[in-house]
Amino acid sequence: MLAVKATVIQKKKQSLSQQDFYEATEKGYRISYEESEATGFEGSVTTLETEGCRKVTMNRTGTVEANLVVDIGEKQHCVYGTPYGDFMIGITAKTIRSDLDENGGMLFFLLCFVDVNSSYIGDFEIAIEVKAANVVA
């Protein structure tokens, strides 16, 4: 069993840890975890799939649903579900870095020009660390 530690950095840092599912795929790695009350998405499962350092796809199912594609240099439009309703967001990734392997590792992406309903809301850095569950951070 591996543990996921996800950090979203904007003006403040928030760290979350859950038990997860982690496996190699044909193009990269799949990370799947149950959301908690702390994220605001309790009752949902989030799955991230990497394609090297080029693309990350996020699917969230359950009480809240979303499907996001993060692709270097290409703006993607996605419907993003929240407990307060769904809205359209636009995402352009500047950087995706991954050193994930069979033992875990780090996945980092810098999202630039994130907009909601065509109104700019900010840039975000997302870092996800995957490591053996028995390792203390």
Side-chain angles (χ1 to χ4, degrees):
M1 182 67 69
L2 297 173
V4 171
K5 180 179 182 181
T7 303
V8 178
I9 305 164
Q10 188 181 18
K11 291 187 179 176
K12 65 180 185 177
K13 186 174 179 178
Q14 178 180 6
S15 296
L16 309 167
S17 296
Q18 298 91 10
Q19 293 300 313
D20 74 70
F21 180 75
Y22 177 71
E23 67 179 351
T25 64
E26 188 175 306
K27 296 181 179 181
Y29 287 89
R30 180 178 300 123
I31 304 165
S32 185
Y33 56 92
E34 291 184 25
E35 294 285 356
S36 69
E37 183 179 352
T39 65
F41 299 110
E42 185 176 24
S44 295
V45 173
T46 297
T47 302
L48 298 167
E49 293 200 36
T50 66
E51 292 184 25
C53 290
R54 176 73 189 150
K55 186 177 187 179
V56 177
T57 303
M58 184 205 84
N59 291 299
R60 182 174 290 135
T61 59
T63 56
V64 177
E65 300 202 357
N67 185 332
L68 305 178
V69 177
V70 179
D71 202 351
I72 299 252
E74 291 187 33
K75 185 172 185 176
Q76 301 286 340
H77 292 91
C78 311
V79 174
Y80 190 77
T82 74
Y84 308 101
D86 298 348
F87 50 88
M88 179 67 71
I89 66 171
I91 301 172
T92 304
K94 181 175 182 181
T95 303
I96 297 174
R97 289 194 311 263
S98 172
D99 69 358
L100 295 172
D101 63 22
E102 64 277 355
N103 299 310
M106 290 292 296
L107 173 63
F108 169 86
F109 41 108
L110 174 60
L111 306 178
C112 292
F113 312 113
V114 176
D115 64 73
V116 175
N117 296 328
S118 298
S119 295
Y120 175 79
I121 61 166
D123 297 341
F124 299 86
E125 293 179 352
I126 299 171
I128 298 169
E129 180 179 15
V130 179
K131 61 184 177 180
N134 59 352
V135 176
V136 177

